[in-house]
Amino acid sequence: MMRFDPLLRRALKDLEARSLRRQLRPLQLTPDQVLHRGQAITDFSSNDYLGLSGHRLLRERSAEWAMQHGTGARASRLVSGTLDLHERVENRLAQFKGTEAALLFASGWQANAAVLPALFRLAKEQTGEAPLVFCDKLNHASMHQGCAAAGIRQIRFRHNDLNHLESLLVRHTDLPGMRFILTESVFSMDGDTADIAALSALAKRYDAFLYLDEAHATGVLGPQGRGLSHGHEVDLVMGTFSKALGSMGAYIAGSRALCDWIITASSGFIYSTAPSPPMLGAMDAALEIVPGLDMERQALHQKAERLRQALNAAGIDTGLSNTQIVPVILGEETTTLSVARVLEERGILTIAIRPPTVPSGSARLRLALSASHDDASITSLIDSVITALRQTQA
Ligand SMILES: Cc1ncc(COP(=O)(O)O)c(C=O)c1O
């Protein structure tokens, strides 16, 4: 027992009493199966939307690049960590996203947390004024972190409410400082989408820098999975390799000047070890195959539509989801935990999402579909959710 353990235990107990304690749950993974305590379980909680985490090409190229180049990049990008492999993947990425340049990060969380302060520094240095940062209320925690690290007081607009955003932009017209709009193309806990054309038009009208997180759209939405930003003017697109692209790591895509600024001004880029060859191998293979997966994308969206229709017909609230993420919004933390438990007993893995990840009173099961789920498993999911909910409410 360490000196501060009683304090830590008390804090944990307090969270437990409010059903808010988070705990780890180890699973076993094979390329085509998820096992929980040795039993196969159907996983509807992961972000492996195209089932690429077990794809042979990603596994092979990752292993190949590890064997050929080693397991680590050995240094940060600006020291001696930049390899020809980074440039190859970044060039592929820029082509995929239709931008002049792209830059890799170790994770999506790190990208948002590290890039935003560098952009705000640019604004401050070039205008002499603090920036005005307009944020969707449901933005991911990593964007909040990026704002907090730069001491920014966010100006929050109601989720996906562009009239509210415009009214806030108007209200702040007389204030100096560069404007930023921070939002996501697919919201991770709601599975709804932002109107990128309208956002881009607003950003232009009010001379604001548009920062778009495409973590859950990359690979899944837009032509050939290029994201919802495709075909629109967006100043910076951020996305991840950790979800539909089946491995880990993240990117930003934009102009060459933008990436050059981040290279020289972002602490999280400068002082962190470069992504490793096996990571890069998986990224490279994903970028090679994702544009050709239109059939998988179409099937994924059809499955999500079927799921929503069946749940809604049973009176279950799935919010405004129109993507592969389908929330089952239950409200109460305890009900949500109970339903997740019953589902788990039936061999279905879903995770109860509770505050502060989602607003208070909107606890939910976040169902995330994958191209690797077959129709029978969707049928079983629908039956099980409806039965579990009835059982819990009885
Ligand atoms: C919208 C959004 N942005 C960023 C991230 C972080 O990405 P990563 O898991 O690669 O760190 C997530 C992860 O859940 C996310 O949902």
Side-chain angles (χ1 to χ4, degrees), residues 47 107-109 112 140 142 184 188 213 215-216 238 240 242-243 249:
N47 302 313
S107 81
W109 195 95
N112 280 333
H140 191 259
S142 50
E184 303 178 20
S188 57
D213 180 328
H216 297 275
M238 171 272 174
T240 63
S242 54
K243 306 186 194 300

Side-chain angles (χ1 to χ4, degrees), residues 115-141:
V115 168
L116 287 169
L119 292 176
F120 300 147
R121 179 181 144 195
L122 170 80
K124 186 94 206 297
E125 283 182 8
Q126 292 303 307
T127 67
E129 302 286 350
L132 300 174
V133 184
F134 299 84
C135 300
D136 189 289
K137 270 198 169 153
L138 296 188
N139 275 350
H140 191 259

Side-chain angles (χ1 to χ4, degrees), residues 71-92:
T71 51
R74 310 163 308 117
S76 64
R77 291 287 299 270
L78 285 163
V79 178
S80 52
T82 295
L83 311 174
D84 52 351
L85 306 177
H86 292 99
E87 295 194 335
R88 167 173 162 160
V89 175
E90 286 171 348
N91 288 337
R92 241 189 215 275

Side-chain angles (χ1 to χ4, degrees), residues 45-362:
S45 68
S46 92
N47 302 313
D48 191 15
Y49 306 127
L50 294 172
L52 292 190
S53 71
H55 194 287
R56 179 169 288 279
L57 191 70
L58 271 75
R59 288 187 284 132
E60 279 175 358
R61 194 160 305 164
S62 182
E64 216 174 86
W65 286 20
M67 293 307 283
Q68 287 172 6
H69 308 286
T71 51
R74 310 163 308 117
S76 64
R77 291 287 299 270
L78 285 163
V79 178
S80 52
T82 295
L83 311 174
D84 52 351
L85 306 177
H86 292 99
E87 295 194 335
R88 167 173 162 160
V89 175
E90 286 171 348
N91 288 337
R92 241 189 215 275
L93 248 176
Q95 220 174 27
F96 180 65
K97 294 300 290 181
T99 54
E100 228 172 66
L103 205 57
L104 295 173
F105 283 82
S107 81
W109 195 95
Q110 190 195 5
N112 280 333
V115 168
L116 287 169
L119 292 176
F120 300 147
R121 179 181 144 195
L122 170 80
K124 186 94 206 297
E125 283 182 8
Q126 292 303 307
T127 67
E129 302 286 350
L132 300 174
V133 184
F134 299 84
C135 300
D136 189 289
K137 270 198 169 153
L138 296 188
N139 275 350
H140 191 259
S142 50
M143 282 196 263
H144 296 311
Q145 187 64 33
C147 291
I152 295 292
R153 223 177 126 251
Q154 299 178 36
I155 304 164
R156 297 206 187 175
F157 56 94
R158 286 189 292 272
H159 175 51
N160 266 344
D161 184 342
L162 301 193
N163 290 327
H164 189 217
L165 168 61
E166 182 160 21
S167 72
L168 291 172
L169 285 160
V170 168
R171 200 183 303 164
H172 290 81
T173 329
D174 292 339
L175 288 181
M178 189 171 159
R179 272 86 175 131
F180 288 85
I181 299 171
L182 274 48
T183 190
E184 303 178 20
S185 51
V186 174
F187 282 80
S188 57
M189 296 300 143
D190 291 77
D192 56 348
T193 48
D195 181 344
I196 310 304
L199 276 162
S200 175
L202 262 187
K204 248 193 184 158
R205 194 172 320 140
Y206 293 91
D207 199 21
F209 184 105
L210 179 57
Y211 185 106
L212 185 66
D213 180 328
E214 294 243 64
H216 297 275
T218 307
V220 174
L221 292 170
Q224 298 177 297
R226 292 169 201 271
L228 290 181
S229 61
H230 197 78
H232 299 293
E233 207 172 301
V234 176
D235 299 289
L236 184 153
V237 178
M238 171 272 174
T240 63
F241 286 89
S242 54
K243 306 186 194 300
L245 270 51
S247 61
M248 70 173 300
Y251 66 85
I252 58 162
S255 70
R256 183 70 261 165
L258 172 76
C259 292
D260 286 348
W261 173 256
I262 299 303
I263 288 171
T264 208
S266 163
S267 169
F269 181 86
I270 299 168
Y271 299 107
S272 185
T273 299
S276 66
M279 267 176 81
L280 295 166
M283 290 174 174
D284 191 67
L287 289 171
E288 185 177 319
I289 57 180
V290 156
L293 299 180
D294 276 347
M295 267 170 48
E296 285 78 358
R297 277 185 281 275
Q298 202 185 356
L300 178 64
H301 297 307
Q302 281 168 353
K303 280 179 235 180
E305 189 51 35
R306 184 182 154 216
L307 174 63
R308 272 189 298 270
Q309 281 183 9
L311 294 177
N312 294 160
I316 295 171
D317 182 8
T318 57
L320 294 175
S321 157
N322 59 348
T323 66
Q324 74 284 1
I325 302 167
V326 181
V328 170
I329 303 170
L330 299 173
E332 287 279 314
E333 284 94 53
T334 44
T335 313
T336 312
L337 285 167
S338 302
V339 175
R341 242 186 325 264
V342 175
L343 289 172
E344 193 173 314
E345 282 159 16
R346 298 175 71 121
I348 291 177
L349 185 60
T350 61
I351 300 295
I353 308 283
R354 294 160 285 162
T357 307
V358 290
S360 175
S362 72

